[in-house]
Amino acid sequence: MHLSTDPIDPQNQDVYALWDQLADFSAADGDAALTHLLSALRTMLSARNVLWGVLVRLPSPKRTDPLLGWRPRLVRVLDPIPAVAASVQKQYDTLWSDNVDLSQILSVSGDEPFRVRLLFEALPPEWFEGEHYRRHYLDVGFADSISVRIALNNDVRIRLFVFRDAQAPRFSAHDGQRLGFTMRGLRWFHRQQLLSHGLLIADAALTPAERRVLLALLDGHAEKEIAQKFDQSPNTTHFHVKSIYAKFGVRNRATLAALWLGKLR
């Protein structure tokens, strides 16, 4: 079964509506926009949970590194119940060790700028008898997944996983095509998400305090208003603003905002 390209197809209309909804979120509401996306994908694909993550490539990876220098930087789970949160943290820690799983190695292989994979097509049958599948799927209530990889540049990638439980049917090729179609139109969205964390352009990642100030700046607030909003002194706010400008390599708010419009670099 192939995904319809008919612009009036009801399923396509749902995707277009989602794109429009995400475009309506302000820069200051980026976290809410991400939650909205993950929730919509869960509903669209009759899924159990959704995970969104950012991978960055180390500047000088070891030649023997099975992950080719790719490491996790940010992870967001739609429904981070304790068992799932513990599993995600365990995998995050493992990816910084030398004890990585075959599924993790395959996930970073290849240089395609965009890729969709069904779990049961990507991995051999014996993998589903192993510890990783039991620990990070079956033990937390999952049985299947679709993954999407989006390269934002040579050193930053978005990874998205959509999970189903054992009571649901396996994901089909049509499910993969539908998810791929949805995500193909959202490269701008992921770029804005990373910009809000200082991970795509900034020379160094933003601190939590700087990120709050950044989002307020993008939402049009003056420094005095930001200081009042976060109950901090004007001097502290100004220090954060100057640090943000320095990290992004800009001199003023207008140039900073231009990054979000894709007009710089």
Side-chain angles (χ1 to χ4, degrees), residues 3 29 36 55 65 76 84 93 116 123 126 128 132 148 151 156 162 165 181 187-188 191 198 214 242 246 253 265:
L3 186 70
D29 291 327
H36 183 79
L55 295 179
D65 182 3
R76 296 289 183 268
V84 171
D93 294 341
V116 179
L123 290 156
E126 58 269 21
F128 296 91
H132 189 92
V148 180
V156 181
V162 182
D165 57 32
F181 175 66
R187 192 170 183 272
W188 66 269
R191 183 178 184 277
L214 167 68
K242 299 299 286 185
R253 186 197 303 248
R265 302 187 188 181

Side-chain angles (χ1 to χ4, degrees), residues 114-134:
F114 186 90
R115 185 176 73 189
V116 179
R117 278 188 170 179
L118 303 182
L119 182 70
F120 280 86
E121 291 184 358
L123 290 156
E126 58 269 21
W127 182 84
F128 296 91
E129 303 296 326
E131 179 183 356
H132 189 92
Y133 182 64
R134 177 191 59 78

